[in-house]
Amino acid sequence: MSVVTLTIDGELVSGRRGETLLQVIREHGLALPTLCHLEGLSERGGCRLCIVEVEGSPRPMPACSTAAREGMVVRTATDRLIRYRRMIVELLFAERNHYCAVCVSAGNCELQTVAATLGVDHVRYEYLSPRLTMDLSHERFGIDHNRCILCTRCVRVCDEVEGVHTWDVSCRGVRSRVIADLNHPWGRSETCTSCGKCVQVCPTGALFTKGAAVGEMVKDAGMLTRVIEGRDKKGWQE
Amino acid sequence: MGRRGRIRFATVWLGGCSGCHMSFLDLDERLVELAGLADMVYGPFMDAKEFPRKVDVTLVEGAVTNRANLAMALMLRERSRIVVSLGDCAVTGNVTSLRNQLPVADVLATFLSCGEGSVPAMDYNAVPELLPRALPLHQVIAVDGFLPGCPPDPERIWTAIGCLLRGEPVHLESDMLTFG
Amino acid sequence: MSRTITIDPVTRIEGHATITIRLDDAGSVADARLHVTEFRGFEAFCVGRSIWEMPGITARICGICPISHSIASARAGDAILGVDIPPAAEQLRRIANLASLIQSHALSFFHLCAADLLLGMDHDPSRRSLWGLLESRPDVARRGIRLRQIGQQIVSNLAGERVHPSWAVPGGVREPLDAERRRKVVELLPEGIAIIRSAFELLDEIYGRHGAEVGTYGDFPSLFAGLVGEDGGLEHYDGMLRFTDSSGAVVEEVPPDHYDLAIGERSEPWSYMKFPFYRNHAGRDGGGMFRVGPLARLNLCERAGTPEADRELQTFRQLRGTGGVVTGSFHYHHARLIEILHALERIGELLDDPAILDRHVRSEAGVNRRHGVGFCEAPRGTLFHDYEVDDDGLILRLNLLIATGQNNLAMNRTILEVARSHIKGGKVSEGILNRIEHGIRAYDPCLSCATHVYGRMPFQVLLLAPDGTVVDEIAS
């Protein structure tokens, strides 16, 4: 296995060729916030929270979808990056209706935690307050578009792990919505297997188990790793 | 500064549920300590009718949701050295701003058309008119510190008050910063 | 020349309101109105939310009685699920509701009203508060703070948090009680009872100081409404919705989930608080006025059902006004103390039952009914949450009948009465205005609860000429 050597925050570190910057950074115990990234799913590079500065590149780059290369000089926590990350989180809060106080995932939400960790104590942007809906038509689960941050973990897990691709994203930009099948109520989806993987990987309270009250939705963080390991090791074959 | 150089301390309740003030009262016996350290000059548990001048620290609960809130916000800003948003409604708009998804006329319609006795419109000489949107305090006036939570628990409030009594900016560690 | 006096804002109440008093040409009081000045619109923006979130959302109607809202909301959810909740869950809800009543009543009596009651209506306004009380009567103030703390600690031992716990849910409650937390609650009760006993000793002083005025604080015949137990006992969670008149006779009893058969609502353009009325008396004098809350509950029950509270109830009933029951709104304060005592005793009884530790506290079900009404006695009176949902449990329509709102007609009548007895020849003073405000404080209105609250403008009492010009101004 070939090794690459690079500098991260002034420290000389090594990683395996083919690894992303995010993998190398986390292997060396450095914290880097992410929302759309999830171990076991393809990278989307959508949330932009894991941006880092790479010498020679004028723009910050998402660590999750940048390959670690020999001789790279990377910084993960410059003033500019911290400023941008806060800005990104604030924009997420401003775009939809994230009322942490009355959310099923309050206290167990990745967005809520990332915001506090980054020191976001208020949002400087105007809230858009779009009028969005909740869909409880599924027998076991619900989706509240108010709390969706379009990380597409649900879309990817459904496609890549469950192999069904019930979920996808319709429209573009601020009008984007996660939809089931060809925009049917979730309960009328012909493809959904009701496996619940999308619910467990959702970082916020957008996807939840029906009947969950405020603060009651605790996601199973280890679910995806268990499923993938089980599949790879053929752990479920007789 | 107030008597014997003590801090002049005020709390204000705008568009919210008073839960933040209840959490403030949940300081329990520390209220006695606070009364020994600061002059309480204005708040919902007091009889001062006019927001006083030369206030050192003002904690504000609630979003700015009507014209009276707006007038109060402007006045307290002018008369306070330090203004701190107390709790999620002041910080983010929170539940008070859930109405922002609807046109204000639709929100008011549930009241105007109530039961048997509906009225065509409110009399804005008697009650303040709703603003088109309920706004976080810092979108209306400059705010010097933020104390998120619904409500912020007494430990958060006490930590923030500690900073303010020492003349420092409000600083909370990340475990005390979560919304909700 | 007629003129209008404005009290803006009414202070030391929970929420924001103004009072206007219209004087006629002779300087006598022609009319008085309580204007609730804020509106938050829960009945509009909760449409589309799920019944499972409603206890959490509606708790934010009010930070003072979030427990009562979450319980009424969860009960509307119970009805929609069509389940009987486990017995332990029901008893735990009862305890939390009573604990919430303790802290709320303690807040009203000690934090908000004791300054008037013990320091006097004409006391220096800048010291007429809990903070002033801490200086001049520190023993009373500290006991009040402790009593409220005891109520809050009982709540947090059951529900996890003091304000806005997410605990009562459709189908029951989220957490059973364990032996350790039961022990903690039980240990709080004797101190609470000792404090409330000492508060009863303050009543002599209070009646002595205000004796001449007691009759002017809204002493009039009216209906009283509230829950009553099957045995006619004081009840805060279930039973029937009873209406009695000021002779003590039962006028009507309806199942609480059919409250709308008995109670109608209307709006006025000058206040954001609705005016509920008793339908059958809508055409009579008073327009269907009824009173709710501690005074009403003690008037319409046959007994408190706990030993010490029953003894105090006997003393209370000596205060009878014109009819067979206690009609003076000043006595709300006294009634609050009796209810605190009852709550402490009752919580002890409920905790004595070993079944309270049952681990089964939640019934699971889907949506089985499209309509559900939840109710309970909130500290200020009977509270109703009325939801209509779609097949998935999303709210299509909701009506919240808030305790304080039901006292709206009576509060307006009370300030008119206080104003008439104190304002003569157009002369007003700060002390008189404070008495009028106290007429409101006696009801302990929770205007944030009325879902429609506030306004805080600089204080001015303006005496206005009919053309709107200011003829006189009083500042505090």
Side-chain angles (χ1 to χ4, degrees), chain B residues 12-31:
Chain B
V12 172
W13 172 11
L14 302 177
C17 75
S18 88
C20 299
H21 271 85
M22 291 304 110
S23 203
F24 174 76
L25 289 186
D26 284 339
L27 289 171
D28 299 329
E29 63 276 7
R30 286 173 294 193
L31 289 173

PDB file of all heavy atoms in Angstrom, chain B residues 12-31:
ATOM      1  N   VAL B  12     -36.772  42.342  30.575  1.00  0.00           N
ATOM      2  CA  VAL B  12     -37.920  42.764  29.770  1.00  0.00           C
ATOM      3  C   VAL B  12     -38.508  41.528  29.105  1.00  0.00           C
ATOM      4  O   VAL B  12     -37.785  40.611  28.717  1.00  0.00           O
ATOM      5  CB  VAL B  12     -37.489  43.787  28.685  1.00  0.00           C
ATOM      6  CG1 VAL B  12     -38.622  44.078  27.721  1.00  0.00           C
ATOM      7  CG2 VAL B  12     -37.037  45.081  29.351  1.00  0.00           C
ATOM      8  N   TRP B  13     -39.822  41.535  28.982  1.00  0.00           N
ATOM      9  CA  TRP B  13     -40.519  40.406  28.382  1.00  0.00           C
ATOM     10  C   TRP B  13     -41.270  40.910  27.154  1.00  0.00           C
ATOM     11  O   TRP B  13     -42.213  41.676  27.276  1.00  0.00           O
ATOM     12  CB  TRP B  13     -41.445  39.824  29.457  1.00  0.00           C
ATOM     13  CG  TRP B  13     -42.400  38.777  29.038  1.00  0.00           C
ATOM     14  CD1 TRP B  13     -42.441  38.103  27.872  1.00  0.00           C
ATOM     15  CD2 TRP B  13     -43.478  38.274  29.839  1.00  0.00           C
ATOM     16  NE1 TRP B  13     -43.474  37.212  27.889  1.00  0.00           N
ATOM     17  CE2 TRP B  13     -44.117  37.297  29.072  1.00  0.00           C
ATOM     18  CE3 TRP B  13     -43.955  38.568  31.123  1.00  0.00           C
ATOM     19  CZ2 TRP B  13     -45.241  36.607  29.554  1.00  0.00           C
ATOM     20  CZ3 TRP B  13     -45.056  37.880  31.590  1.00  0.00           C
ATOM     21  CH2 TRP B  13     -45.682  36.894  30.806  1.00  0.00           C
ATOM     22  N   LEU B  14     -40.817  40.491  25.986  1.00  0.00           N
ATOM     23  CA  LEU B  14     -41.510  40.863  24.743  1.00  0.00           C
ATOM     24  C   LEU B  14     -42.378  39.677  24.304  1.00  0.00           C
ATOM     25  O   LEU B  14     -43.052  39.087  25.130  1.00  0.00           O
ATOM     26  CB  LEU B  14     -40.496  41.265  23.668  1.00  0.00           C
ATOM     27  CG  LEU B  14     -39.559  42.436  24.019  1.00  0.00           C
ATOM     28  CD1 LEU B  14     -38.558  42.687  22.909  1.00  0.00           C
ATOM     29  CD2 LEU B  14     -40.338  43.714  24.304  1.00  0.00           C
ATOM     30  N   GLY B  15     -42.351  39.303  23.024  1.00  0.00           N
ATOM     31  CA  GLY B  15     -43.238  38.242  22.537  1.00  0.00           C
ATOM     32  C   GLY B  15     -42.723  36.850  22.844  1.00  0.00           C
ATOM     33  O   GLY B  15     -41.962  36.283  22.073  1.00  0.00           O
ATOM     34  N   GLY B  16     -43.161  36.302  23.958  1.00  0.00           N
ATOM     35  CA  GLY B  16     -42.727  34.961  24.367  1.00  0.00           C
ATOM     36  C   GLY B  16     -43.678  34.441  25.421  1.00  0.00           C
ATOM     37  O   GLY B  16     -44.727  35.022  25.654  1.00  0.00           O
ATOM     38  N   CYS B  17     -43.269  33.354  26.084  1.00  0.00           N
ATOM     39  CA  CYS B  17     -44.215  32.683  26.973  1.00  0.00           C
ATOM     40  C   CYS B  17     -43.930  32.952  28.438  1.00  0.00           C
ATOM     41  O   CYS B  17     -44.645  32.456  29.307  1.00  0.00           O
ATOM     42  CB  CYS B  17     -44.198  31.182  26.717  1.00  0.00           C
ATOM     43  SG  CYS B  17     -42.735  30.368  27.379  1.00  0.00           S
ATOM     44  N   SER B  18     -42.861  33.697  28.739  1.00  0.00           N
ATOM     45  CA  SER B  18     -42.385  33.962  30.102  1.00  0.00           C
ATOM     46  C   SER B  18     -41.587  32.793  30.676  1.00  0.00           C
ATOM     47  O   SER B  18     -41.137  32.870  31.817  1.00  0.00           O
ATOM     48  CB  SER B  18     -43.509  34.356  31.065  1.00  0.00           C
ATOM     49  OG  SER B  18     -44.085  33.214  31.658  1.00  0.00           O
ATOM     50  N   GLY B  19     -41.406  31.748  29.910  1.00  0.00           N
ATOM     51  CA  GLY B  19     -40.618  30.609  30.387  1.00  0.00           C
ATOM     52  C   GLY B  19     -39.195  31.018  30.752  1.00  0.00           C
ATOM     53  O   GLY B  19     -38.605  30.468  31.693  1.00  0.00           O
ATOM     54  N   CYS B  20     -38.636  31.990  30.038  1.00  0.00           N
ATOM     55  CA  CYS B  20     -37.276  32.434  30.343  1.00  0.00           C
ATOM     56  C   CYS B  20     -37.258  33.173  31.677  1.00  0.00           C
ATOM     57  O   CYS B  20     -36.311  33.032  32.457  1.00  0.00           O
ATOM     58  CB  CYS B  20     -36.746  33.344  29.237  1.00  0.00           C
ATOM     59  SG  CYS B  20     -36.672  32.532  27.631  1.00  0.00           S
ATOM     60  N   HIS B  21     -38.306  33.960  31.921  1.00  0.00           N
ATOM     61  CA  HIS B  21     -38.392  34.614  33.229  1.00  0.00           C
ATOM     62  C   HIS B  21     -38.620  33.587  34.337  1.00  0.00           C
ATOM     63  O   HIS B  21     -38.142  33.754  35.453  1.00  0.00           O
ATOM     64  CB  HIS B  21     -39.494  35.686  33.231  1.00  0.00           C
ATOM     65  CG  HIS B  21     -39.001  37.039  32.789  1.00  0.00           C
ATOM     66  ND1 HIS B  21     -38.928  37.404  31.475  1.00  0.00           N
ATOM     67  CD2 HIS B  21     -38.521  38.084  33.504  1.00  0.00           C
ATOM     68  CE1 HIS B  21     -38.428  38.636  31.394  1.00  0.00           C
ATOM     69  NE2 HIS B  21     -38.180  39.069  32.612  1.00  0.00           N
ATOM     70  N   MET B  22     -39.358  32.525  34.021  1.00  0.00           N
ATOM     71  CA  MET B  22     -39.541  31.462  35.024  1.00  0.00           C
ATOM     72  C   MET B  22     -38.203  30.785  35.311  1.00  0.00           C
ATOM     73  O   MET B  22     -37.884  30.469  36.455  1.00  0.00           O
ATOM     74  CB  MET B  22     -40.555  30.428  34.537  1.00  0.00           C
ATOM     75  CG  MET B  22     -41.985  30.934  34.467  1.00  0.00           C
ATOM     76  SD  MET B  22     -42.576  31.599  36.041  1.00  0.00           S
ATOM     77  CE  MET B  22     -42.646  33.335  35.637  1.00  0.00           C
ATOM     78  N   SER B  23     -37.420  30.578  34.275  1.00  0.00           N
ATOM     79  CA  SER B  23     -36.111  29.970  34.462  1.00  0.00           C
ATOM     80  C   SER B  23     -35.210  30.920  35.261  1.00  0.00           C
ATOM     81  O   SER B  23     -34.398  30.482  36.075  1.00  0.00           O
ATOM     82  CB  SER B  23     -35.497  29.653  33.097  1.00  0.00           C
ATOM     83  OG  SER B  23     -34.544  28.637  33.210  1.00  0.00           O
ATOM     84  N   PHE B  24     -35.388  32.212  35.037  1.00  0.00           N
ATOM     85  CA  PHE B  24     -34.677  33.218  35.843  1.00  0.00           C
ATOM     86  C   PHE B  24     -35.097  33.085  37.316  1.00  0.00           C
ATOM     87  O   PHE B  24     -34.257  33.067  38.217  1.00  0.00           O
ATOM     88  CB  PHE B  24     -35.000  34.605  35.282  1.00  0.00           C
ATOM     89  CG  PHE B  24     -34.468  35.762  36.094  1.00  0.00           C
ATOM     90  CD1 PHE B  24     -33.123  36.092  36.057  1.00  0.00           C
ATOM     91  CD2 PHE B  24     -35.325  36.523  36.876  1.00  0.00           C
ATOM     92  CE1 PHE B  24     -32.645  37.174  36.799  1.00  0.00           C
ATOM     93  CE2 PHE B  24     -34.848  37.599  37.617  1.00  0.00           C
ATOM     94  CZ  PHE B  24     -33.495  37.918  37.580  1.00  0.00           C
ATOM     95  N   LEU B  25     -36.406  32.934  37.570  1.00  0.00           N
ATOM     96  CA  LEU B  25     -36.868  32.737  38.955  1.00  0.00           C
ATOM     97  C   LEU B  25     -36.370  31.406  39.515  1.00  0.00           C
ATOM     98  O   LEU B  25     -36.235  31.253  40.732  1.00  0.00           O
ATOM     99  CB  LEU B  25     -38.398  32.784  39.041  1.00  0.00           C
ATOM    100  CG  LEU B  25     -39.078  34.129  38.850  1.00  0.00           C
ATOM    101  CD1 LEU B  25     -40.575  33.996  39.104  1.00  0.00           C
ATOM    102  CD2 LEU B  25     -38.494  35.190  39.775  1.00  0.00           C
ATOM    103  N   ASP B  26     -36.105  30.462  38.632  1.00  0.00           N
ATOM    104  CA  ASP B  26     -35.572  29.172  39.078  1.00  0.00           C
ATOM    105  C   ASP B  26     -34.124  29.294  39.582  1.00  0.00           C
ATOM    106  O   ASP B  26     -33.525  28.299  39.984  1.00  0.00           O
ATOM    107  CB  ASP B  26     -35.658  28.124  37.951  1.00  0.00           C
ATOM    108  CG  ASP B  26     -37.080  27.606  37.766  1.00  0.00           C
ATOM    109  OD1 ASP B  26     -37.881  27.732  38.708  1.00  0.00           O
ATOM    110  OD2 ASP B  26     -37.395  27.065  36.686  1.00  0.00           O
ATOM    111  N   LEU B  27     -33.577  30.501  39.541  1.00  0.00           N
ATOM    112  CA  LEU B  27     -32.305  30.722  40.235  1.00  0.00           C
ATOM    113  C   LEU B  27     -32.504  30.507  41.728  1.00  0.00           C
ATOM    114  O   LEU B  27     -31.539  30.357  42.483  1.00  0.00           O
ATOM    115  CB  LEU B  27     -31.784  32.144  39.977  1.00  0.00           C
ATOM    116  CG  LEU B  27     -31.267  32.436  38.567  1.00  0.00           C
ATOM    117  CD1 LEU B  27     -30.998  33.924  38.397  1.00  0.00           C
ATOM    118  CD2 LEU B  27     -29.998  31.647  38.268  1.00  0.00           C
ATOM    119  N   ASP B  28     -33.786  30.516  42.163  1.00  0.00           N
ATOM    120  CA  ASP B  28     -34.142  30.250  43.562  1.00  0.00           C
ATOM    121  C   ASP B  28     -33.355  31.148  44.520  1.00  0.00           C
ATOM    122  O   ASP B  28     -33.375  32.343  44.367  1.00  0.00           O
ATOM    123  CB  ASP B  28     -33.962  28.765  43.888  1.00  0.00           C
ATOM    124  CG  ASP B  28     -34.861  27.879  43.027  1.00  0.00           C
ATOM    125  OD1 ASP B  28     -35.961  28.347  42.659  1.00  0.00           O
ATOM    126  OD2 ASP B  28     -34.469  26.749  42.699  1.00  0.00           O
ATOM    127  N   GLU B  29     -32.649  30.507  45.470  1.00  0.00           N
ATOM    128  CA  GLU B  29     -32.002  31.329  46.511  1.00  0.00           C
ATOM    129  C   GLU B  29     -30.918  32.238  45.932  1.00  0.00           C
ATOM    130  O   GLU B  29     -30.525  33.209  46.550  1.00  0.00           O
ATOM    131  CB  GLU B  29     -31.451  30.458  47.648  1.00  0.00           C
ATOM    132  CG  GLU B  29     -30.364  29.496  47.260  1.00  0.00           C
ATOM    133  CD  GLU B  29     -30.927  28.196  46.677  1.00  0.00           C
ATOM    134  OE1 GLU B  29     -32.161  28.097  46.459  1.00  0.00           O
ATOM    135  OE2 GLU B  29     -30.137  27.278  46.442  1.00  0.00           O
ATOM    136  N   ARG B  30     -30.460  31.943  44.710  1.00  0.00           N
ATOM    137  CA  ARG B  30     -29.483  32.834  44.089  1.00  0.00           C
ATOM    138  C   ARG B  30     -30.107  34.187  43.721  1.00  0.00           C
ATOM    139  O   ARG B  30     -29.393  35.157  43.491  1.00  0.00           O
ATOM    140  CB  ARG B  30     -28.867  32.172  42.855  1.00  0.00           C
ATOM    141  CG  ARG B  30     -27.865  31.076  43.239  1.00  0.00           C
ATOM    142  CD  ARG B  30     -27.381  30.293  42.049  1.00  0.00           C
ATOM    143  NE  ARG B  30     -28.450  29.510  41.444  1.00  0.00           N
ATOM    144  CZ  ARG B  30     -28.256  28.548  40.544  1.00  0.00           C
ATOM    145  NH1 ARG B  30     -27.056  28.271  40.129  1.00  0.00           N
ATOM    146  NH2 ARG B  30     -29.281  27.878  40.044  1.00  0.00           N
ATOM    147  N   LEU B  31     -31.456  34.235  43.680  1.00  0.00           N
ATOM    148  CA  LEU B  31     -32.129  35.525  43.473  1.00  0.00           C
ATOM    149  C   LEU B  31     -31.772  36.477  44.608  1.00  0.00           C
ATOM    150  O   LEU B  31     -31.600  37.684  44.402  1.00  0.00           O
ATOM    151  CB  LEU B  31     -33.654  35.331  43.443  1.00  0.00           C
ATOM    152  CG  LEU B  31     -34.259  34.630  42.233  1.00  0.00           C
ATOM    153  CD1 LEU B  31     -35.738  34.388  42.479  1.00  0.00           C
ATOM    154  CD2 LEU B  31     -34.060  35.473  40.969  1.00  0.00           C
TER     155      LEU B  31
END
